[in-house]
Short mmCIF file of all heavy atoms in Angstrom, two decimals:
data_model
loop_
_atom_site.label_atom_id
_atom_site.label_comp_id
_atom_site.label_asym_id
_atom_site.label_seq_id
_atom_site.Cartn_x
_atom_site.Cartn_y
_atom_site.Cartn_z
N LYS A 1 74.41 -14.71 -32.77
CA LYS A 1 73.03 -15.21 -32.86
C LYS A 1 73.02 -16.70 -33.23
O LYS A 1 72.18 -17.45 -32.75
CB LYS A 1 72.23 -14.42 -33.90
CG LYS A 1 71.83 -13.05 -33.43
CD LYS A 1 71.08 -12.32 -34.54
CE LYS A 1 70.94 -10.86 -34.20
NZ LYS A 1 70.50 -10.05 -35.33
N ALA A 2 73.92 -17.10 -34.09
CA ALA A 2 73.99 -18.51 -34.50
C ALA A 2 74.31 -19.41 -33.33
O ALA A 2 73.96 -20.59 -33.33
CB ALA A 2 75.04 -18.69 -35.60
N ARG A 3 74.95 -18.86 -32.34
CA ARG A 3 75.30 -19.60 -31.14
C ARG A 3 74.05 -20.11 -30.44
O ARG A 3 74.04 -21.16 -29.85
CB ARG A 3 76.09 -18.66 -30.21
CG ARG A 3 77.29 -19.22 -29.64
CD ARG A 3 77.99 -18.13 -28.86
NE ARG A 3 78.21 -18.61 -27.53
CZ ARG A 3 77.65 -18.13 -26.44
NH1 ARG A 3 76.84 -17.13 -26.51
NH2 ARG A 3 77.91 -18.65 -25.28
N GLY A 4 72.99 -19.32 -30.47
CA GLY A 4 71.75 -19.75 -29.85
C GLY A 4 71.63 -19.29 -28.41
O GLY A 4 72.33 -18.40 -27.96
N ALA A 5 70.72 -19.92 -27.71
CA ALA A 5 70.37 -19.54 -26.33
C ALA A 5 71.38 -20.11 -25.32
O ALA A 5 72.48 -20.48 -25.67
CB ALA A 5 68.97 -20.04 -26.04
N ASN A 6 70.93 -20.20 -24.10
CA ASN A 6 71.75 -20.76 -23.02
C ASN A 6 71.98 -22.24 -23.28
O ASN A 6 71.04 -23.02 -23.36
CB ASN A 6 71.04 -20.54 -21.68
CG ASN A 6 71.88 -21.00 -20.52
OD1 ASN A 6 73.03 -21.41 -20.67
ND2 ASN A 6 71.29 -20.97 -19.34
N TYR A 7 73.20 -22.63 -23.41
CA TYR A 7 73.57 -23.99 -23.78
C TYR A 7 72.99 -25.03 -22.81
O TYR A 7 72.51 -26.08 -23.22
CB TYR A 7 75.09 -24.11 -23.83
CG TYR A 7 75.58 -25.34 -24.55
CD1 TYR A 7 75.66 -25.38 -25.92
CD2 TYR A 7 75.96 -26.48 -23.83
CE1 TYR A 7 76.09 -26.50 -26.59
CE2 TYR A 7 76.41 -27.61 -24.50
CZ TYR A 7 76.48 -27.61 -25.87
OH TYR A 7 76.90 -28.72 -26.52
N ALA A 8 73.01 -24.72 -21.53
CA ALA A 8 72.54 -25.67 -20.52
C ALA A 8 71.05 -25.97 -20.66
O ALA A 8 70.59 -27.04 -20.28
CB ALA A 8 72.84 -25.15 -19.12
N ASP A 9 70.29 -25.03 -21.24
CA ASP A 9 68.84 -25.22 -21.37
C ASP A 9 68.45 -25.92 -22.66
O ASP A 9 67.28 -26.18 -22.90
CB ASP A 9 68.14 -23.85 -21.32
CG ASP A 9 68.30 -23.18 -19.96
OD1 ASP A 9 68.52 -23.89 -18.96
OD2 ASP A 9 68.20 -21.93 -19.91
N MET A 10 69.42 -26.22 -23.51
CA MET A 10 69.12 -26.84 -24.81
C MET A 10 68.93 -28.34 -24.68
O MET A 10 69.56 -28.99 -23.85
CB MET A 10 70.26 -26.57 -25.79
CG MET A 10 70.42 -25.16 -26.22
SD MET A 10 71.82 -25.09 -27.40
CE MET A 10 71.90 -23.35 -27.68
N THR A 11 68.09 -28.88 -25.56
CA THR A 11 67.96 -30.33 -25.68
C THR A 11 69.15 -30.83 -26.50
O THR A 11 69.81 -30.03 -27.18
CB THR A 11 66.66 -30.69 -26.44
OG1 THR A 11 66.75 -30.21 -27.78
CG2 THR A 11 65.42 -30.12 -25.75
N PRO A 12 69.41 -32.14 -26.50
CA PRO A 12 70.50 -32.65 -27.34
C PRO A 12 70.34 -32.27 -28.82
O PRO A 12 71.31 -31.92 -29.48
CB PRO A 12 70.42 -34.16 -27.14
CG PRO A 12 69.88 -34.31 -25.76
CD PRO A 12 68.87 -33.18 -25.62
N GLU A 13 69.10 -32.29 -29.32
CA GLU A 13 68.88 -31.93 -30.73
C GLU A 13 69.20 -30.46 -30.96
O GLU A 13 69.78 -30.09 -31.98
CB GLU A 13 67.43 -32.23 -31.13
CG GLU A 13 67.09 -33.70 -31.21
CD GLU A 13 66.87 -34.36 -29.84
OE1 GLU A 13 66.62 -33.65 -28.85
OE2 GLU A 13 66.97 -35.60 -29.78
N GLN A 14 68.82 -29.58 -30.01
CA GLN A 14 69.12 -28.16 -30.14
C GLN A 14 70.62 -27.92 -30.05
O GLN A 14 71.15 -27.05 -30.75
CB GLN A 14 68.41 -27.35 -29.05
CG GLN A 14 66.91 -27.28 -29.24
CD GLN A 14 66.20 -26.69 -28.03
OE1 GLN A 14 66.59 -26.90 -26.88
NE2 GLN A 14 65.12 -25.96 -28.30
N LYS A 15 71.31 -28.67 -29.22
CA LYS A 15 72.77 -28.53 -29.12
C LYS A 15 73.43 -28.91 -30.43
O LYS A 15 74.36 -28.22 -30.89
CB LYS A 15 73.32 -29.41 -27.99
CG LYS A 15 72.98 -28.89 -26.61
CD LYS A 15 73.47 -29.82 -25.53
CE LYS A 15 73.10 -29.28 -24.15
NZ LYS A 15 73.55 -30.17 -23.07
N MET A 16 72.96 -29.98 -31.07
CA MET A 16 73.53 -30.37 -32.35
C MET A 16 73.23 -29.33 -33.42
O MET A 16 74.09 -29.03 -34.26
CB MET A 16 73.04 -31.76 -32.75
CG MET A 16 73.69 -32.87 -31.94
SD MET A 16 73.44 -34.53 -32.60
CE MET A 16 71.94 -35.01 -31.77
N GLU A 17 72.02 -28.76 -33.41
CA GLU A 17 71.67 -27.72 -34.38
C GLU A 17 72.51 -26.46 -34.15
O GLU A 17 72.99 -25.85 -35.11
CB GLU A 17 70.17 -27.39 -34.31
CG GLU A 17 69.73 -26.38 -35.36
CD GLU A 17 70.01 -26.82 -36.80
OE1 GLU A 17 69.98 -28.02 -37.10
OE2 GLU A 17 70.27 -25.92 -37.63
N SER A 18 72.70 -26.08 -32.89
CA SER A 18 73.54 -24.92 -32.58
C SER A 18 74.96 -25.17 -33.08
O SER A 18 75.60 -24.28 -33.65
CB SER A 18 73.54 -24.65 -31.08
OG SER A 18 74.42 -23.61 -30.76
N SER A 19 75.45 -26.38 -32.88
CA SER A 19 76.79 -26.72 -33.35
C SER A 19 76.88 -26.62 -34.87
O SER A 19 77.87 -26.13 -35.41
CB SER A 19 77.15 -28.14 -32.89
OG SER A 19 78.43 -28.49 -33.34
N ARG A 20 75.84 -27.06 -35.57
CA ARG A 20 75.81 -26.93 -37.03
C ARG A 20 75.87 -25.46 -37.44
O ARG A 20 76.58 -25.09 -38.37
CB ARG A 20 74.56 -27.59 -37.61
CG ARG A 20 74.58 -29.08 -37.61
CD ARG A 20 73.32 -29.65 -38.30
NE ARG A 20 73.17 -31.02 -37.95
CZ ARG A 20 72.32 -31.51 -37.05
NH1 ARG A 20 71.50 -30.71 -36.41
NH2 ARG A 20 72.26 -32.79 -36.77
N ASN A 21 75.08 -24.62 -36.74
CA ASN A 21 75.06 -23.19 -37.05
C ASN A 21 76.42 -22.56 -36.82
O ASN A 21 76.89 -21.76 -37.63
CB ASN A 21 74.01 -22.46 -36.20
CG ASN A 21 72.60 -22.81 -36.61
OD1 ASN A 21 72.34 -23.24 -37.74
ND2 ASN A 21 71.65 -22.66 -35.70
N ILE A 22 77.06 -22.92 -35.73
CA ILE A 22 78.39 -22.38 -35.43
C ILE A 22 79.38 -22.83 -36.50
O ILE A 22 80.21 -22.04 -36.97
CB ILE A 22 78.84 -22.79 -34.02
CG1 ILE A 22 78.00 -22.04 -32.98
CG2 ILE A 22 80.32 -22.50 -33.81
CD1 ILE A 22 78.19 -22.53 -31.55
N SER A 23 79.29 -24.09 -36.92
CA SER A 23 80.20 -24.60 -37.96
C SER A 23 80.06 -23.81 -39.25
O SER A 23 81.04 -23.58 -39.96
CB SER A 23 79.93 -26.08 -38.24
OG SER A 23 80.31 -26.86 -37.14
N ARG A 24 78.83 -23.39 -39.56
CA ARG A 24 78.61 -22.59 -40.77
C ARG A 24 79.20 -21.19 -40.64
O ARG A 24 79.56 -20.58 -41.64
CB ARG A 24 77.11 -22.47 -41.05
CG ARG A 24 76.49 -23.70 -41.60
CD ARG A 24 75.03 -23.45 -41.98
NE ARG A 24 74.30 -24.69 -41.90
CZ ARG A 24 73.39 -24.99 -40.99
NH1 ARG A 24 73.05 -24.13 -40.08
NH2 ARG A 24 72.82 -26.17 -41.00
N MET A 25 79.27 -20.67 -39.41
CA MET A 25 79.70 -19.29 -39.20
C MET A 25 81.21 -19.14 -39.02
O MET A 25 81.76 -18.07 -39.26
CB MET A 25 78.98 -18.69 -37.99
CG MET A 25 77.46 -18.64 -38.13
SD MET A 25 76.88 -17.84 -39.65
CE MET A 25 77.14 -16.14 -39.24
N ILE A 26 81.90 -20.18 -38.59
CA ILE A 26 83.33 -20.08 -38.32
C ILE A 26 84.12 -19.60 -39.55
O ILE A 26 84.99 -18.75 -39.41
CB ILE A 26 83.88 -21.41 -37.77
CG1 ILE A 26 83.40 -21.57 -36.33
CG2 ILE A 26 85.41 -21.44 -37.82
CD1 ILE A 26 83.72 -22.90 -35.71
N PRO A 27 83.81 -20.07 -40.75
CA PRO A 27 84.55 -19.53 -41.91
C PRO A 27 84.40 -18.01 -42.06
O PRO A 27 85.31 -17.35 -42.55
CB PRO A 27 83.93 -20.28 -43.10
CG PRO A 27 83.42 -21.55 -42.51
CD PRO A 27 82.94 -21.18 -41.13
N ASN A 28 83.27 -17.46 -41.61
CA ASN A 28 83.09 -16.00 -41.68
C ASN A 28 84.07 -15.28 -40.77
O ASN A 28 84.62 -14.24 -41.13
CB ASN A 28 81.65 -15.61 -41.31
CG ASN A 28 80.64 -16.14 -42.30
OD1 ASN A 28 80.98 -16.49 -43.42
ND2 ASN A 28 79.39 -16.22 -41.88
N ILE A 29 84.29 -15.84 -39.58
CA ILE A 29 85.26 -15.24 -38.65
C ILE A 29 86.66 -15.30 -39.28
O ILE A 29 87.41 -14.34 -39.25
CB ILE A 29 85.27 -15.97 -37.29
CG1 ILE A 29 83.92 -15.83 -36.58
CG2 ILE A 29 86.38 -15.41 -36.39
CD1 ILE A 29 83.82 -16.67 -35.32
N MET A 30 86.98 -16.45 -39.84
CA MET A 30 88.30 -16.63 -40.41
C MET A 30 88.51 -15.72 -41.62
O MET A 30 89.60 -15.20 -41.84
CB MET A 30 88.53 -18.09 -40.80
CG MET A 30 88.43 -19.04 -39.63
SD MET A 30 89.40 -18.51 -38.23
CE MET A 30 88.23 -18.75 -36.91
N ALA A 31 87.45 -15.52 -42.41
CA ALA A 31 87.55 -14.62 -43.57
C ALA A 31 87.81 -13.19 -43.10
O ALA A 31 88.60 -12.47 -43.72
CB ALA A 31 86.28 -14.68 -44.40
#
């Protein structure tokens, strides 16, 4: 869910926000 919608349809701001969300979630995968 943190990944967000279709990447190609995102604005640059949405892409950066999606990237922030993914960065927050990666430690959960590693844990």
Side-chain angles (χ1 to χ4, degrees):
K1 285 178 192 167
R3 226 175 125 246
N6 184 5
Y7 195 82
D9 295 336
M10 292 181 184
T11 65
E13 291 77 19
Q14 289 170 325
K15 288 177 180 179
M16 286 193 270
E17 184 58 32
S18 176
S19 180
R20 286 184 197 102
N21 290 337
I22 290 170
S23 291
R24 284 186 207 110
M25 299 307 284
I26 287 173
N28 295 341
I29 297 173
M30 300 311 134

